[in-house]
Amino acid sequence: MRIIPRALCLLCCISVSLAAKAQQQKKNESYHLRIKRAVSPVKIDGIIDEQAWQEADAATNFHMVLPMDTSAARLRTDVRMTYDQQHIYLLVESYTPDAGPYMVESLRRDFAFLKNDNFLLFMDPFDDQTNGFSFGANAAGAQWDGLMYDGGKVDLSWDNKWTSVVKNYKDKWVFEAAIPFKTIRYKKGITHWGINFSRNDLKTTEKSAWAPVPRQFATASLAYTGSLDWDTVPPAAGPNISLIPYLLGGIAKDYDKGTPSKFRRDIGLDAKVAITSSLNLDLTVNPDFSQVDVDKQVTNLDRFELFFPEKRQFFLENGDQFSNFGYSTIRPFFSRRIGLGAPIHFGARLSGKLNKDWRLGVMNMQTGKQEEIGLPAQNFTVAALQRRVFSRSNVGFLFINKESLNYDPAKVEDKPVYSRYNRNVGLEYNLASSNNFWTGKAMLLKSYSPGKTGHDFAHAANLQYTSKAWNISWQHEYVGRNYNAEVGYVPRQGYIKLMPQVTRLFFPQSGVVLSHGPQVTSTWFLNEKFRRTDNESMLNYGIVFRKRNTLNIWASNTYIQLLNPFDPTNTGKDSLKTGTRHNWNTVGADYVSKPQSLFTYAFSARYGGYYEDGTRLMTNAELGYRFQPYVSIALSANYNNIRLPQPWGNNSFWLVGPRLDVTMTNTLFFTGFMQYNEQQKNINLNTRFQWRYRPASDLFVVYTDNYLPEPFYVKNRALVLKLVYWFNI
């Protein structure tokens, strides 16, 4: 296989060339906001009456990003920043052409940017154009905070202590915030931080930014930040230790097994220790994740394992070095493998910046035994090291070790056999040009498992060019038949994948359409002897309207040669034989309504062939209505009709999920979510009440029910009460 060396050489050559250009001129280097020490105390109340704000410099004259990126913003936005020994202060005046009402989803934190009138701050305190923090609020006062990584992505699972207030006036809404220095990480001694501000206004459909950003990129792109210039070195955060204990009580009953009710009484502790101003140690003892959102179910018609995202905050927070290594279907580390069917006893993670160029992540987790299935106690160690190269690119190293403790598979009888160990070692190069037009990745992985040698490595590479009119990309993958990532997500082994893609966009000067254009994608799977096993070719035509509603119409051709027996309904009926070949055509359409309406909707439909001379019709609808900002009602409904010859016959599957979100205030929330899955013959009800009684401290009440729909009866149910308290030492 010579694909990887050639791709890696190409990426390196492009990166060297672009790095040379980046050294000549940094993007938006003329945009500066000076931040001075506050000359008076600042009260977070949304009222601009402090002397500190009167004397603070203002960032104004925002630039339009959408619908066009060639003019000044129509709406005026003024931003001021100041600081004292403990906090950074932010004041934003978002002027509006009329009194409202403002368009927001709810008061729930970490809202969807494009569905709310909102303001966001993007901050790069390392000045490396790769990592940082984001803070913001919508026009009703809901908070937004997240960790930034990969030069412009935001991990909203990060949740920390800071305060803010939004106050509405006749001609503007004011957002005022205080962010403790202890909340963020920053390089000691740096007096220039990358910074940008972004505003979204749904009534005018205008998205704007202080430092201009091309419209093909998110305004979060750290390649286009201006500079926050400190009048002196930012204050040291000082000793920074946070303890976050929890108390939990609950009751659960399994009606299926007929066992007595089980009472839960638990206690656990998380701790955060700032080793340096940019390096943090996280510790956890007996963690509990009962308040985490339930997975959104899907009708499973896939031949391979489905992916459900991680939602446990300990694994998500600052975990991008581990979880983003690789590609969507070649993840050597997938944290949901930890604690699967077994309790987590304790864990530790050291993560952050060593300096401007080096970034470190080390994690160790210990799980207990699960006697019922013979699962031994296991230890998981993950280590990642990243080095910035050129202007915005980096090289990363990853090591993963899963070890079964005091376990000998030879002595196990009548129970599943677990491996004694599984290890993965990987190297990755990430390309990001100074202007973000060129991005790419090249990766090499090798696994080590007892009894598995040869064909035990994986590699992949991609290169993408993104301009206003063109998006052109190439990606290939190779996974050996013995490559084994037991702590990862690699649903398929023993294949080669090739995937070119081309998109062309057109931008009318006027009219209801903002952009439109075709996209051509072709995906090929080959076995290790370079013989075709699967391929799908798709032609899509996409339209984005000026009101931000979207329409996509597409057609595809699919070919599959089965590598294993497969039941095309996934209901336990007969299976198609290995080696059988299947080919069919499909057409489909997707429509998403404009986000500024109180009533929103999205529809999808597809119809075409399906295995063994069958047909498949799929329709999907998502409806939503908001009584802003307090109540949001949503309903999703998915229907699949599959017609096949006997023994499968005619099969219909409904998947229905109504959801209710009530946000009494921006600290008091209720969520109710029901899912009816006809394929799995299950009804699930999950309700959660959350009271944020002080910053980052919560009371949760969670109730869960599972029912069998026919005949209708309770399978199991549980009630949990959990109290979390965050305090600093």
Side-chain angles (χ1 to χ4, degrees), residues 5-180:
R6 291 175 181 173
L8 183 57
C9 289
L10 177 60
L11 288 179
C12 289
C13 290
I14 292 173
S15 191
V16 170
S17 173
L18 296 173
K21 294 180 180 179
Q23 291 173 357
Q24 298 173 13
Q25 184 178 8
K26 181 182 176 180
K27 295 294 176 184
N28 293 336
E29 64 176 5
S30 62
Y31 288 83
H32 293 263
L33 174 63
R34 189 171 56 147
I35 180 171
K36 301 178 292 186
R37 182 179 287 270
V39 297
S40 68
V42 177
K43 182 180 179 182
I44 305 303
D45 56 7
I47 301 174
I48 313 171
D49 56 359
E50 295 93 343
Q51 187 65 26
W53 291 131
Q54 306 305 319
E55 297 189 14
D57 290 3
T60 186
N61 298 324
F62 275 44
H63 296 263
M64 189 185 297
V65 178
L66 288 176
M68 304 296 290
D69 61 359
T70 56
S71 66
R74 290 173 291 180
L75 299 181
R76 176 183 167 189
T77 308
D78 295 342
V79 183
R80 292 174 173 83
M81 297 185 72
T82 186
Y83 72 97
D84 59 22
Q85 193 63 29
Q86 290 81 34
H87 298 87
I88 301 173
Y89 297 101
L90 174 69
L91 177 73
V92 183
E93 297 174 88
S94 297
Y95 289 86
T96 58
D98 52 63
Y102 298 111
M103 307 302 297
V104 295
E105 287 180 293
S106 68
L107 294 171
R108 182 172 297 279
R109 68 186 299 115
D110 298 333
F111 47 81
F113 173 75
L114 291 177
K115 295 182 179 181
N116 291 261
D117 291 340
N118 66 82
F119 173 91
L120 299 182
L121 156 71
F122 303 112
M123 183 164 52
D124 175 12
F126 309 106
D127 197 29
D128 63 1
Q129 303 177 68
T130 305
N131 301 285
F133 301 88
S134 180
F135 297 90
N138 70 13
Q143 290 184 334
W144 157 301
D145 54 3
L147 287 174
M148 302 192 67
Y149 65 96
D150 280 0
K153 298 176 182 177
V154 182
D155 177 8
L156 293 175
S157 66
W158 185 72
D159 196 5
N160 222 304
K161 295 183 72 172
W162 61 290
T163 57
S164 68
V165 167
V166 167
K167 190 173 181 63
N168 293 322
Y169 295 86
K170 183 178 181 180
D171 62 338
K172 65 183 177 181
W173 58 276
V174 172
F175 167 45
E176 191 171 19
I179 304 167

Side-chain angles (χ1 to χ4, degrees), residues 75 84 165 291 345 373 422 429 501 522 562 641:
L75 299 181
D84 59 22
V165 167
Q291 79 277 13
H345 287 334
I373 58 175
N422 174 249
Y429 172 68
Q501 180 175 287
S522 186
L562 290 177
N641 180 265

Side-chain angles (χ1 to χ4, degrees), residues 332-555:
F333 178 73
F334 179 41
S335 56
R336 284 187 69 137
R337 305 294 188 200
I338 301 176
L340 184 66
I344 298 175
H345 287 334
F346 55 83
R349 182 182 63 235
L350 179 68
S351 60
K353 300 279 287 189
L354 298 177
N355 56 38
K356 186 176 181 179
D357 294 325
W358 287 95
R359 190 172 179 226
L360 173 70
V362 181
M363 181 167 64
N364 184 270
M365 305 294 294
Q366 178 68 48
T367 63
K369 293 182 179 180
Q370 183 59 267
E371 298 286 357
E372 294 180 359
I373 58 175
L375 178 64
Q378 294 180 320
N379 183 267
F380 301 82
T381 300
V382 190
L385 186 64
Q386 194 177 84
R387 174 68 161 86
R388 189 176 76 143
V389 294
F390 308 119
S391 59
R392 300 180 60 241
S393 304
N394 62 70
V395 176
F397 169 80
L398 184 70
F399 171 74
I400 304 165
N401 182 59
K402 172 187 174 184
E403 198 86 25
S404 296
L405 306 179
N406 302 316
Y407 179 71
D408 185 357
K411 297 181 180 180
V412 177
E413 297 180 1
D414 301 326
K415 290 181 180 178
V417 176
Y418 300 92
S419 62
R420 288 186 297 107
Y421 68 86
N422 174 249
R423 301 183 183 111
N424 268 249
V425 177
L427 189 66
E428 183 175 89
Y429 172 68
N430 290 282
L431 164 69
S433 66
S434 61
N435 60 10
N436 220 42
F437 277 50
W438 289 93
T439 56
K441 176 184 289 191
M443 173 202 70
L444 180 64
L445 293 163
K446 180 172 172 57
S447 65
Y448 300 86
S449 300
K452 289 190 176 183
T453 57
H455 301 277
D456 55 0
F457 66 97
H459 64 218
N462 80 293
L463 182 63
Q464 178 170 290
Y465 172 76
T466 304
S467 68
K468 292 181 181 180
W470 290 96
N471 186 299
I472 304 171
S473 67
W474 165 271
Q475 180 172 319
H476 67 260
E477 303 172 3
Y478 165 74
V479 178
R481 60 180 177 272
N482 286 326
Y483 175 71
N484 185 24
E486 293 182 11
V487 197
Y489 176 74
V490 186
R492 186 169 181 169
Q493 289 83 28
Y495 75 88
I496 299 163
K497 177 181 176 181
L498 309 174
M499 189 176 74
Q501 180 175 287
V502 178
T503 304
R504 175 67 164 95
L505 291 178
F506 302 93
F507 298 90
Q509 294 297 314
S510 61
V512 297
V513 174
L514 174 64
S515 66
H516 63 94
Q519 180 184 79
V520 179
T521 306
S522 186
T523 305
W524 294 73
F525 284 91
L526 314 173
N527 61 23
E528 291 179 291
K529 296 181 180 179
F530 288 89
R531 294 175 181 169
R532 181 182 68 155
T533 60
D534 307 58
N535 79 271
E536 182 176 64
S537 298
M538 177 178 290
L539 172 63
N540 176 83
Y541 203 92
I543 303 172
V544 179
F545 298 92
R546 292 188 183 273
K547 292 292 186 179
R548 296 190 184 172
N549 44 325
T550 61
L551 172 66
N552 286 280
I553 302 171
W554 56 271

Side-chain angles (χ1 to χ4, degrees), residues 583-602:
N583 184 265
W584 65 82
N585 298 314
T586 308
V587 294
D590 309 285
Y591 179 79
V592 179
S593 69
K594 59 185 181 181
Q596 55 266 46
S597 299
L598 295 178
F599 174 65
T600 58
Y601 52 91

